[in-house]
Amino acid sequence: MSRVVHVIGGGPAGLLSAQLLARDHPAWEVVVHERLAPDETFGFGVGLTRALLGALRDEVPALHDDLVADSASFSAAVFRLPAGRVELPSFHAGAIGRARLLQRLIEHAQRAGVDVRIGSTPSLDDLTAISDLVIGADGVSSTTREQLAVELGASEQVGRGLFIWCGAEVELEGTVFMPVQTADGWFVAHAYPYGEGHSTFVIETDAESLRRAGCRTERFAQDGESDESSLEYLSGAFAELLGGGRFLGNRSRFMNFRTVRCERWFHKQVLLIGDAVATAHPTLGSGTKLALEAAISLARTLRTVDSEPPASRLAAYEQAERPQIERLQDRARRSQLWWESFPSRMSLSPARIAFAYMSRAGAVSLEQLCEAAPGLAEQAITDFAGLRPAPASEEFAEWVLGRPLRVNGYALPGRLLRDRDPDVKLWVDLSDPWGPEAQPVMEQIAADQHVGDRIVGLYGGRSRGELLDRLALGERLRSELGAVIAVSCEHDQLPDAVDGLVAGRADLIEVQ
């Protein structure tokens, strides 16, 4: 049966959705409306994970092959820190220029029979009047979401930190994380190559550092304008990484990240997809992955649609996809908070900072790191304990818990708090331990003149997420106030608690 599908937005989610729907339903009319041509797109390179490439290989092998051919492949990843450098397990299989990615997606969509209209900006009302399905894939600033904000229960949360996306004519060997301290504050680069002689950079900082540096954060008069003064400043700060070159802009200016959430993903026959419905902080490296995998999932959900309208399957699509998106958004939130508080960890060794990064969202454990990068895991544990760990035949977690604590006058035989209570007990329920809601706790502990001589116990809910929040608050109390922190956990949560010890989030663990 013939159906009419209109897609608003020609980004990765919209174009792949259109291609797959047109391929699976040759009788359908599928149209994509996109305001900008690919070479006018914002940004530089985007990462491609192994999981994403595997999904594309299974679903659209021809597209997969073209993207791999157009990508820069790399496996190296490194933290370049003032105290030294440390290599990490790889996160991406490679990266591709965003403009090239969009060109490839358009080509494959058109081959499948999609009508791709560049420069087209129809109204939502006009499209709903003529469509069986409207897919809103118009990105984080989605006008589709704005028009249906009430119906969808849409909300946005603005982060404290600021970031700028820029490029440079330098080809890095792989992923690089590099913090630089200027006279104005800390700036942290996340960078990787995406083509011959080109790399992409996301640079983060805080509002106060930007103010001192004289960088702009207000809106720019021209949509395509870049903040050239900030790019010049950053080029000087990261001269070592750039090899004397300078950063290039493409609508590059500092901005706050917006976390988008929707209580409902569709209204009648209008569905939101990709960044239009849910965003994940770029430090998680999953934006393109989420968009393309969502398109694949949508196509699979609609594959068996026959006589029934496609809108009848939208609830099933949301039910299947929402748990994964919510898990990724929670990890992205934790990653965002970790990077916004990055300077507080500079007293840790490079290996412990690297592990703190790997475990920041609860996705990678010490046990997993011992398998993926045993050298890094061993160095992080050594730096934590002050001596090399026992042979691999002994459990690392048990060995870590058996290390004595000698700090601020305390000399305890191990890291499990037994046979004594903390000197101060706090029940905490904080979703943002680095933000203003944690300030009353910080002030309460700071008011204690003997805080460095006391063990502060943090207690709270029994869920894993609540434990991770307690560990994050413990890290802040340790780094900012020098407190000795004991964090409570359930017995089955000991692996997360051990990760917290090695990553500098706690000194002691109390099993409930």
Side-chain angles (χ1 to χ4, degrees), residues 366-367 370 381 384-385 389-404 413-416 418 491 494-495 497-499 501-502:
L366 181 63
E367 181 180 356
C370 286
I381 295 171
F384 156 77
S393 59
E394 183 177 343
E395 290 289 336
F396 274 139
E398 293 180 10
W399 191 87
V400 167
L401 289 171
R403 294 310 91 206
R415 298 309 178 105
L416 286 174
R418 298 185 175 120
H491 189 272
L494 264 175
V498 169
D499 293 349
L501 291 174
V502 177

Side-chain angles (χ1 to χ4, degrees), residues 88-248:
L88 308 173
S90 176
F91 310 106
H92 297 306
I96 186 172
R98 180 169 168 81
R100 187 57 177 160
L101 170 65
L102 297 179
Q103 288 168 349
R104 285 298 196 186
L105 287 169
I106 289 174
E107 291 170 7
H108 284 264
Q110 290 174 329
R111 290 175 195 166
V114 177
D115 179 4
V116 180
R117 302 177 184 177
I118 303 298
S120 176
T121 56
S123 72
L124 180 61
D125 290 341
D126 288 344
L127 294 184
T128 54
I130 60 173
S131 304
D132 297 284
L133 175 64
V134 177
I135 300 175
D138 42 350
V140 63
S141 299
S142 169
T143 57
T144 309
R145 185 183 68 248
E146 289 180 2
Q147 289 183 252
L148 298 176
V150 175
E151 291 84 352
L152 299 175
S155 63
E156 291 186 6
Q157 184 176 5
V158 179
R160 287 187 299 277
L162 293 104
F163 73 98
I164 188 170
W165 192 6
C166 50
E169 293 180 345
V170 59
E171 188 172 346
L172 300 173
E173 294 182 3
T175 302
V176 174
F177 302 101
M178 182 176 178
V180 169
Q181 186 177 26
T182 73
D184 303 304
W186 285 96
F187 295 81
V188 185
H190 314 239
Y192 49 83
Y194 67 90
E196 185 176 352
H198 292 86
S199 295
T200 189
F201 295 76
V202 174
I203 299 175
E204 288 192 274
T205 191
D206 61 272
E208 183 59 24
S209 295
L210 272 188
R211 184 194 65 77
R212 287 193 294 262
C215 296
R216 298 169 60 182
T217 57
E218 73 273 12
R219 292 187 178 276
F220 286 70
Q222 300 297 322
D223 183 52
E225 185 180 358
S226 291
D227 182 354
E228 295 296 341
S229 63
S230 291
L231 293 176
E232 187 69 26
Y233 177 91
L234 295 171
S235 295
F238 290 93
E240 176 190 348
L241 192 57
L242 295 175
R246 76 176 306 274
F247 285 120
L248 306 174

Side-chain angles (χ1 to χ4, degrees), residues 167-382:
E169 293 180 345
V170 59
E171 188 172 346
L172 300 173
E173 294 182 3
T175 302
V176 174
F177 302 101
M178 182 176 178
V180 169
Q181 186 177 26
T182 73
D184 303 304
W186 285 96
F187 295 81
V188 185
H190 314 239
Y192 49 83
Y194 67 90
E196 185 176 352
H198 292 86
S199 295
T200 189
F201 295 76
V202 174
I203 299 175
E204 288 192 274
T205 191
D206 61 272
E208 183 59 24
S209 295
L210 272 188
R211 184 194 65 77
R212 287 193 294 262
C215 296
R216 298 169 60 182
T217 57
E218 73 273 12
R219 292 187 178 276
F220 286 70
Q222 300 297 322
D223 183 52
E225 185 180 358
S226 291
D227 182 354
E228 295 296 341
S229 63
S230 291
L231 293 176
E232 187 69 26
Y233 177 91
L234 295 171
S235 295
F238 290 93
E240 176 190 348
L241 192 57
L242 295 175
R246 76 176 306 274
F247 285 120
L248 306 174
N250 178 4
R251 283 185 286 170
S252 302
R253 69 284 298 265
F254 276 104
M255 63 187 78
N256 299 93
F257 183 75
R258 292 181 287 160
T259 299
V260 172
R261 293 184 176 87
C262 291
E263 295 175 6
R264 294 164 295 281
W265 290 6
F266 68 94
H267 175 66
K268 297 181 178 178
Q269 80 268 42
V270 181
L271 170 74
L272 294 188
I273 194 171
D275 280 349
V277 73
T279 58
H281 197 259
T283 57
L284 203 65
S286 296
T288 302
K289 176 180 183 292
L290 288 176
L292 295 177
E293 289 183 346
I296 292 172
S297 177
L298 176 62
R300 289 174 176 170
T301 303
L302 299 180
R303 191 157 291 162
T304 58
V305 167
D306 188 12
S307 59
E308 56 187 319
S312 66
R313 299 290 184 89
L314 299 184
Y317 165 73
E318 179 178 346
Q319 184 177 10
E321 280 294 291
R322 182 179 281 277
Q324 175 191 357
I325 297 299
E326 290 182 344
R327 282 194 299 272
L328 284 170
Q329 282 199 302
D330 181 66
R331 290 179 183 175
R333 177 183 67 85
R334 296 182 188 282
S335 180
Q336 177 179 346
L337 295 177
W338 193 89
W339 281 109
E340 288 177 350
S341 56
F342 181 81
S344 66
R345 299 174 185 87
M346 294 307 295
S347 62
L348 296 177
S349 72
R352 293 184 75 187
I353 290 177
F355 175 63
Y357 165 75
M358 298 290 291
S359 62
R360 70 198 185 286
V364 177
S365 67
L366 181 63
E367 181 180 356
Q368 291 170 322
L369 191 66
C370 286
E371 295 181 4
L376 172 59
E378 181 177 340
Q379 187 61 56
I381 295 171
T382 298

